[in-house]
Amino acid sequence: MNHRGKPLFRDLRYCVRCCMPETEEGTVHDALGICRACQSSEQKMHIDWVARERQLREIFAKAKAAAGNNYDCVLPISGGKDSMFQAHVLVKVYNMKPLAVTFNHNWYSETGWYNLVNLLETFNLDHVMFTPNRDLVNRLAAKSLREIGDTCWHCHSGCGAFPLQVAVRFGIPLLVYGESASEGQGLTDYNNPIRYDREYFTKISARRTPDEMVCDTVSAKDVHPFQLPSAEECEAAGIQGMHLGDYMFWDDERHTELVRDVYGWRETQMENSYKGYKSAECVMPGMHDFTCYLKRGFGRATFQGSVDVRNGLLTREEAFDLIARTDPVRPEALDYFLEFTGLTEEEFYEIMAGLRQGKLRDADMPVLPKQAPNRERVLPFAQQLLERLRRTDTATYGTPLVAGNRAPRREPEPDLFLRRSLPELVQDLADGALTPLDLAETTIRRVEALDARFMAFEHFDAARLRAAARELTARLVPGQALRLLEGAPIGVKDAYNTEDYPTEMGSALWRGFTPGNDARLVFNLKRAGAVVAGKTVTAEFAVHALGKTVNPHDATRTPGTSSSGSAVAVALGMVPAALGTQTAGSIIRPASFCGVYGFKPSFGLLPRTGTLKTTDSLDTLGFLAARRDSLAPLFQALRVHGGNYPVSDAALSDRGRQTKPAGRPWRVALLRTHTFPGAPDYARKALLDLARALDADPDIEVVEAELPEILGRAHDIHRTIYHCSLAYYFAQESRSETDLSDVIREIIAEGRAISALDYNQALRDQETCIAAMDELMRGFDAGISLATAGEAPLRDRFELPDPALIWTLAHLPAVSAPAFVSPAGLPFGVQCVARKYNDPLLLACIDALGRKGFLPDGPSPLAPAAREDASGERA
């Protein structure tokens, strides 16, 4: 059966947003067919995490005050990614002294044992561990399979019981766990959390008490270590359990990268998973996930794929394809399980068949053979592997320069960011010609000179920027490696969460809201050495209502709406680059109207975690930059990397796909969309003249492409998806009678009138558009179209329909290059696109066109105010 891009079981109901089926325990779907886990993921964006963090500080302060000379809390750890992050938070952030407690399931992998020991040594933790003997573990695993359809009862139960026993016996009331049960599970959500009590793990995962596990092969004495302290003992000890995820914005992949890159935590190949971090401490997760698949029709890949869909890293079709290739795979750990239990494989499948849920009882359950042996063998751990396994490298995603102090120091020019690309600025730092503080002062002077007139920034703090730059300046001693974006002050659109600034999303309803955390992309900026210059102005909820920002070429014209602040900050040389977001054309249009470069990468390459969401299948993150040569390092610094993102990694790592064959000219498609006839004569002529000039070059071949018929309905398809989603996501805000624009009210009213049937049909139509354009662009290195239908319209006029929305709908990477000037002297762009995930090839093509003089190196034309120095004089 071919399941490519489709659910494995057609009779099951699946969430319309992610890939979770109705068989997930406890899940409920709302009227649109959206599951509880998706609902919970959006509830996070409406929580006042700053207030939650204050509660956390109060809890910890009380615990420390009451502890005296005792430990401040119990920290249950396994050595997994969450354990490492919990230790980081407690020890490094809150200066707590925890007692680390481990229930050892006795299935540690070599990597898991390394991670546990590395954690203990990194944070200098006192540690208590309980390890049940292997024979008992084997007998409990056999009993567990029959009782709960899972081999891991002893782990589920022991992880709850042993830390609680230690807390009671050592007189340490507070237990601090990591991820909240509200994070991506069907049982609960952030609005209806399951509070910790002594039976928490029995309810969440173990499902059976120790007494219920007693049988002819397991005695009451065997399960005694799994017994919970009595309610009276817990009350007398003042036991209080908590999860950090209920008090701080949880982003497990960001946390994973932090503990991996900073503390040497190691990933490994995980069976029945396409990511390398979940339950890396154990050799048996493949069995846990395979039994879940046999019972409920989904496994670990379904969970991971659903999270990646929510974060905008996969489409549902891409996720379902991964799931079909991953969840049904027979794990190598099954051989180990059958060996120690004495069960035959037929007996195992017979047991699992009796535990199938709902509509799966009579279903055909495909089981796939594993294609290659697991890289880690199912063997006992060995501590001597620590030194050999410890990770010492960190992710840089580029060849780092080394600080050397070779060149004489120079005073930065007022228009530094308009003249120098990001690689050139990093080279200046490496040579000692400039410092990060010089770059910060350039931003400060430009903002102080120009922002009162052009209003690009919503929040700007010169002192905060200087402090961040001083920290980087102190870091750059001779011999120190520089990162891709070292010292660069980058504007951040006010749709991204930032730890140090409010995130108001252009809305009076959210004025003063401080999320207290960085969005994943902001984290990636900082990881690459950049500093946050400030928050740039966005439209209300990044939609259509024009904000206060002024077009630097003509104050009577629109600067573009949603990412206008970022575009203007770049066009005026306040920053070398700034983050934007795009659901229709919110990066491409402001870039076109302001005469700078704008890049919306392929959907699925830049994670949306911690960023305002309006539409699941459309929202795409990206950036604007003054210089063409800044696009590639920004893309490398911001995108996801590696095998945890198998769909994009396979495409991006394919050198044949991302490289033009030697000796062949660049194949460029001329893309005249249904919006082309509506553009002014001068705009149409500009695009066709460019196409003729390109085709005249012997190294370039231009072919006019015949576009799929369905693209003629792209704007209608987009409108249905967009408006229905806005009505869904902003239902709470729509109750406001005063602090909502008429534009948003009208969109929400229209969205509410769209039926679930029409919404889901529009999603299917989008899938058709994506597939059709993927097939078309497979034959080209790049394509060109107008970025906008000419120059910026007057502020009180709506923009004419243009192709930007179409390429967003089709998930293509798109760059607006400032190639054209209107008869009025105003900029507008050519839009260069490529096949989905062919972003490196697109950037290589744009670089080639730039070197031939078809595309400018920087802003074009230069905005009049951009030529002014800090005093207002012409530079």
Side-chain angles (χ1 to χ4, degrees):
M1 184 179 296
N2 182 10
H3 293 287
R4 185 169 181 81
K6 301 294 182 184
L8 276 168
F9 304 101
R10 295 181 179 178
D11 291 336
L12 293 185
R13 181 187 184 192
Y14 288 79
C15 173
V16 300
R17 288 275 167 85
C18 71
C19 305
M20 294 306 301
E22 62 183 299
T23 48
E24 183 189 25
E25 185 175 7
T27 196
V28 293
H29 295 80
D30 64 15
L32 273 181
I34 297 170
C35 73
R36 174 176 276 171
C38 282
Q39 297 169 42
S40 187
S41 73
E42 298 309 318
Q43 291 165 10
K44 288 171 63 177
M45 294 298 291
H46 295 273
I47 292 172
D48 185 347
W49 292 105
V50 173
R52 292 279 184 100
E53 196 272 344
R54 284 197 296 267
Q55 296 175 22
L56 184 63
R57 286 187 180 275
E58 291 172 4
I59 291 170
F60 287 163
K62 291 178 181 178
K64 292 177 75 171
N69 293 328
N70 200 355
Y71 297 97
D72 296 329
C73 63
V74 166
L75 171 60
I77 61 169
S78 64
K81 61 180 177 59
D82 287 352
S83 299
M84 199 79 170
F85 183 71
Q86 289 161 244
H88 161 77
V89 170
L90 288 175
V91 177
K92 298 295 186 181
V93 179
Y94 292 101
N95 197 30
M96 298 282 281
K97 182 175 177 58
L99 174 62
V101 176
T102 299
F103 173 82
N104 179 357
H105 42 64
N106 219 344
W107 283 339
Y108 266 97
S109 64
E110 292 180 352
T111 294
W113 187 246
Y114 157 79
N115 282 334
L116 176 63
V117 176
N118 181 37
L119 185 160
L120 296 170
E121 294 193 359
T122 296
F123 296 101
N124 291 311
L125 297 181
D126 296 340
H127 183 226
V128 177
M129 176 187 283
F130 172 75
T131 306
N133 69 77
R134 188 165 302 282
D135 179 66
L136 174 59
V137 168
N138 294 347
R139 287 183 281 121
L140 286 172
K143 173 68 172 175
S144 177
L145 184 74
R146 292 182 170 87
E147 284 295 318
I148 62 174
D150 177 6
T151 58
C152 304
W153 176 88
H154 76 288
C155 185
H156 301 320
S157 182
C159 287
F162 183 62
L164 195 57
Q165 294 166 6
V166 172
V168 170
R169 294 175 185 177
F170 280 69
I172 310 170
L174 180 62
L175 295 91
V176 181
Y177 291 92
E179 185 179 80
S180 169
S182 302
E183 186 72 16
Q185 294 191 27
L187 285 172
T188 183
D189 57 46
Y190 279 99
N191 287 343
N192 303 281
I194 298 176
R195 300 300 181 189
Y196 178 88
D197 59 25
R198 60 188 286 273
E199 296 178 339
Y200 178 86
F201 283 90
T202 304
K203 293 182 289 189
I204 290 293
S205 54
R207 308 298 183 195
R208 298 289 187 274
T209 66
D211 292 338
E212 291 171 324
M213 295 295 288
V214 174
C215 60
D216 57 348
T217 60
V218 178
S219 70
K221 189 179 286 288
D222 286 330
V223 297
H224 177 72
F226 300 88
Q227 296 287 0
L228 296 168
S230 69
E232 293 76 16
E233 289 175 311
C234 291
E235 182 176 355
I239 294 299
Q240 176 188 3
M242 56 162 291
H243 290 79
L244 290 175
D246 288 325
Y247 296 90
M248 58 192 301
F249 189 91
W250 203 258
D251 180 355
D252 66 340
E253 291 197 334
R254 170 181 163 181
H255 300 164
T256 300
E257 293 181 0
L258 170 71
V259 299
R260 181 193 68 193
D261 295 343
V262 176
Y263 297 121
W265 188 88
R266 292 187 67 91
E267 299 180 4
T268 187
Q269 181 191 12
M270 303 303 302
E271 292 196 286
N272 297 75
S273 168
Y274 65 85
K275 295 180 184 283
Y277 55 75
K278 182 65 176 177
S279 301
E281 67 275 13
C282 184
V283 296
M284 294 294 281
M287 274 298 293
H288 174 273
D289 299 325
F290 187 57
T291 54
C292 183
Y293 163 74
L294 294 176
K295 283 187 304 183
R296 299 183 179 275
F298 68 92
R300 182 66 57 191
T302 300
F303 276 108
Q304 293 170 336
S306 295
V307 172
D308 280 349
V309 168
R310 292 179 203 123
N311 288 337
L313 295 170
L314 292 175
T315 63
R316 289 176 81 241
E317 293 66 40
E318 290 169 335
F320 277 129
D321 186 40
L322 277 173
I323 290 162
R325 291 187 278 116
T326 308
D327 278 346
V329 173
R330 180 193 183 280
E332 190 175 338
L334 177 56
D335 294 327
Y336 178 61
F337 176 79
L338 297 177
E339 178 184 352
F340 71 65
T341 60
L343 288 173
T344 66
E345 191 153 348
E346 292 74 19
E347 288 171 332
F348 166 75
Y349 284 116
E350 183 179 348
I351 292 169
M352 295 310 303
L355 296 168
R356 289 187 192 177
Q357 301 294 304
K359 299 173 185 175
L360 294 172
R361 290 192 179 94
D362 298 318
D364 177 26
M365 302 290 291
V367 175
L368 305 178
K370 191 169 181 176
Q371 297 301 309
N374 208 47
R375 287 199 293 269
E376 286 206 27
R377 294 173 296 164
V378 182
L379 290 172
F381 53 77
Q383 187 173 356
Q384 64 266 27
L385 293 177
L386 175 61
E387 290 299 321
R388 182 171 68 83
L389 290 175
R390 180 159 190 165
R391 180 189 173 108
T392 58
D393 60 312
T394 58
T396 57
Y397 310 129
T399 303
L401 298 170
V402 176
N405 291 332
R406 295 184 299 275
R409 290 272 291 110
R410 72 169 190 265
E411 188 68 24
E413 307 89 344
D415 58 351
L416 175 67
F417 298 144
L418 301 173
R419 294 174 180 269
R420 304 284 283 173
S421 68
L422 285 167
E424 290 171 324
L425 292 172
V426 175
Q427 184 66 63
D428 289 339
L429 298 185
D431 293 343
L434 295 173
T435 69
L437 192 56
D438 291 328
L439 305 187
E441 291 295 346
T442 300
T443 290
I444 292 167
R445 286 193 292 269
R446 298 294 279 182
V447 171
E448 290 177 346
L450 299 173
D451 200 53
R453 275 189 286 162
F454 295 98
M455 295 177 279
F457 278 90
E458 191 68 52
H459 297 285
F460 182 79
D461 187 330
R464 183 173 290 158
L465 178 55
R466 283 192 181 102
R470 286 192 186 101
E471 288 185 14
L472 291 180
T473 300
R475 176 183 179 273
L476 297 187
V477 297
Q480 175 67 50
L482 274 68
R483 296 162 289 183
L484 273 178
L485 307 179
E486 195 74 58
I490 306 296
V492 175
K493 180 176 178 177
D494 196 25
Y496 290 83
N497 284 358
T498 44
E499 182 177 12
D500 298 328
Y501 287 94
T503 300
E504 297 172 337
M505 298 168 282
S507 168
L509 287 169
W510 288 88
R511 189 172 291 123
F513 176 70
T514 52
N517 61 84
D518 283 337
R520 181 88 171 277
L521 227 59
V522 176
F523 172 80
N524 288 355
L525 277 177
K526 292 180 177 179
R527 180 178 62 183
V531 293
V532 174
K535 300 298 286 290
T536 59
V537 173
T538 183
E540 180 185 28
F541 299 123
V543 187
H544 299 317
L546 185 61
K548 61 187 177 182
T549 304
V550 175
N551 188 311
H553 295 271
D554 183 344
T556 67
R557 308 285 182 140
T558 178
T561 51
S562 177
S563 299
S564 56
S566 289
V568 172
V570 170
L572 292 174
M574 296 176 178
V575 290
L579 296 185
T581 66
Q582 178 157 311
T583 306
S586 299
I587 292 172
I588 299 299
R589 288 172 188 156
S592 178
F593 294 154
C594 294
V596 299
Y597 279 92
F599 185 17
K600 179 207 77 68
S602 296
F603 183 97
L605 295 185
L606 272 58
R608 296 187 309 216
T609 313
T611 308
L612 170 68
K613 185 187 289 187
T614 61
T615 312
D616 291 83
S617 66
L618 296 170
D619 287 352
T620 316
L621 309 187
F623 49 86
L624 301 99
R627 308 288 296 182
R628 188 184 68 249
D629 289 347
S630 295
L631 299 178
L634 280 164
F635 175 65
Q636 283 295 97
L638 294 174
R639 75 172 179 89
V640 294
H641 290 258
N644 286 335
Y645 314 96
V647 173
S648 58
D649 185 58
L652 295 173
S653 301
D654 186 342
R655 290 183 60 83
R657 177 170 172 171
Q658 302 298 345
T659 307
K660 179 184 74 66
R664 172 173 73 68
W666 290 98
R667 286 183 52 81
V668 177
L670 173 61
L671 304 170
R672 283 201 259 193
T673 69
H674 67 279
T675 65
F676 189 73
D681 291 344
Y682 70 82
R684 299 199 304 273
K685 181 177 184 300
L687 180 65
L688 297 179
D689 286 350
L690 176 61
R692 281 190 287 270
L694 293 175
D695 195 45
D697 190 295
D699 296 326
I700 305 170
E701 176 189 5
V702 177
V703 177
E704 180 154 9
E706 183 176 350
L707 294 174
E709 182 179 351
I710 193 170
L711 290 195
R713 296 194 291 114
H715 284 70
D716 292 334
I717 296 167
H718 183 282
R719 185 184 186 96
T720 298
I721 298 171
Y722 190 34
H723 289 200
C724 184
S725 296
L726 288 172
Y728 180 85
Y729 279 123
F730 297 107
Q732 177 179 326
E733 286 82 357
S734 69
R735 300 187 186 103
S736 171
E737 297 182 357
T738 56
D739 291 330
L740 208 63
S741 70
D742 291 340
V743 170
I744 292 291
R745 289 188 190 282
E746 291 168 5
I747 290 174
I748 289 175
E750 179 179 329
R752 286 173 174 162
I754 295 170
S755 69
L757 185 67
D758 289 341
Y759 171 72
N760 283 288
Q761 180 59 52
L763 290 175
R764 288 191 290 273
D765 289 341
Q766 183 188 10
E767 293 165 11
T768 302
C769 292
I770 293 168
M773 284 308 299
D774 188 74
E775 183 61 32
L776 174 68
M777 294 308 297
R778 188 187 297 267
F780 296 96
D781 301 312
I784 57 171
S785 70
L786 287 172
T788 51
E791 67 189 14
L794 296 172
R795 289 181 69 89
D796 60 352
R797 305 283 177 85
F798 282 112
E799 300 152 357
L800 292 173
D802 56 50
L805 173 153
I806 302 173
W807 311 139
T808 302
L809 186 75
H811 288 184
L812 302 187
V815 172
S816 178
F820 305 137
V821 180
S822 75
L826 298 176
F828 65 103
V830 61
Q831 189 169 190
C832 305
V833 300
R835 182 186 178 194
K836 184 178 182 180
Y837 296 139
N838 279 15
D839 302 56
L841 181 64
L842 175 62
L843 292 176
C845 184
I846 288 171
D847 181 63
L849 298 184
R851 284 186 280 107
K852 287 178 172 290
F854 293 113
L855 300 177
D857 293 335
S860 179
L862 204 60
R867 303 185 182 95
E868 297 177 7
D869 64 19
S871 65
E873 298 296 326
R874 294 283 175 169

